[in-house]
Amino acid sequence: MTTLNRILENKIIAIIRGADPNDVMKITEALLNGGVTTIEVTMNSPKALTVIEKITEEFGDRVLVGAGTVLDAETARHAILAGAKFILSPTVNSDTITLTKRYGAVSIPGAFTPTEILSAYENGGDIIKVFPGILGPSYIKDILGPLPQIPLLPTGGVDLENIHAFFNAGAVGCGIGSALVNSNQQVDEEYIEQLTSKARQFVSKVKERSE
């Protein structure tokens, strides 16, 4: 299965932002135990490249790891060489998209307006991250009216209460940050148990919709 197909099948990208590098392996294991297998490590996190390398080495094909908050082509290249299989950005940068595709990784640029979303797609984005997702599921539905050919992945504002609505509106997946992985909490045994439980709940929501 290709990286793109795995993302589209799994539907959930768990976002790890700002976590202590020493905690990321435990966080990844907890997510994996809960059924979440696609993980984004943001590049503004401590030692992000080292973390991506460690996840790749320790978990192999069990986890699909990508880099987020990638603002330029050079950062995308370093992330891919570290093991990232997909590159997410909060904005549209054509050079980043081009390099990502050249290296065989999946490009997920971020856009908000219809013009930005179409530009990101025409520049080669495989999936377009609608960021921020503060306008909710109705905005996804409205965008897909005139632009039904563009796969949209809302990020920001997605939680257990509204994830069904985002999928029903036509989203191909969702990026989930603090509603799933809260890096401000102490990563102890209780946190790990809660994280695994929460991951299971999100996965269950996806399965409910597909049945």
Side-chain angles (χ1 to χ4, degrees):
M1 187 181 296
T2 66
T3 297
L4 180 58
N5 286 340
R6 284 183 68 179
I7 293 171
L8 294 174
E9 181 176 282
N10 295 334
K11 296 191 180 301
I12 293 173
I13 298 178
I15 303 167
I16 301 177
R17 182 187 301 277
D20 186 320
N22 296 319
D23 293 330
V24 175
M25 296 304 110
K26 291 183 286 185
I27 291 171
T28 302
E29 185 76 47
L31 289 168
L32 184 60
N33 289 338
V36 174
T37 61
T38 307
I39 294 171
E40 166 192 343
V41 176
T42 67
M43 291 304 296
N44 57 351
S45 299
K47 299 183 179 179
L49 292 175
T50 300
V51 166
I52 291 170
E53 287 179 349
K54 285 184 177 180
I55 292 174
T56 302
E57 291 171 2
E58 183 164 328
F59 295 96
D61 290 339
R62 292 189 297 152
V63 171
L64 186 65
V65 63
T69 317
V70 177
L71 304 180
D72 54 72
E74 182 180 1
T75 302
R77 178 178 177 274
H78 285 303
I80 293 167
L81 292 177
K85 297 297 189 294
F86 57 96
I87 299 294
L88 295 102
S89 302
T91 55
V92 182
N93 182 288
S94 59
D95 290 340
T96 300
I97 296 171
T98 299
L99 183 137
T100 298
K101 302 299 288 290
R102 183 183 300 144
Y103 276 72
V106 170
S107 174
I108 311 178
F112 187 67
T113 68
T115 300
E116 291 171 349
I117 290 169
L118 181 59
S119 175
Y121 188 66
E122 289 180 337
N123 273 282
D126 295 295
I127 301 171
I128 309 307
K129 179 174 79 168
V130 180
F131 174 79
I134 53 174
L135 294 184
S138 62
Y139 186 63
I140 300 299
K141 183 178 180 179
D142 289 343
I143 292 293
L144 289 173
L147 301 172
Q149 76 278 22
I150 303 179
L152 302 180
L153 186 138
T155 301
V158 182
D159 56 34
L160 283 168
E161 300 300 318
N162 62 21
I163 189 169
H164 262 173
F166 275 108
F167 285 134
N168 289 337
V172 300
C174 292
I176 305 170
S178 58
L180 178 56
V181 184
N182 186 346
S183 299
N184 293 322
Q185 288 185 242
Q186 182 179 350
V187 181
D188 53 18
E189 186 175 340
E190 181 182 1
Y191 173 85
I192 292 300
E193 290 178 358
Q194 291 174 349
L195 180 55
T196 297
S197 175
K198 197 175 296 183
R200 287 197 184 106
Q201 292 177 62
F202 273 105
V203 170
S204 178
K205 290 286 186 180
V206 172
K207 288 182 178 178
E208 284 173 15
R209 183 183 175 275
S210 60
E211 291 175 350

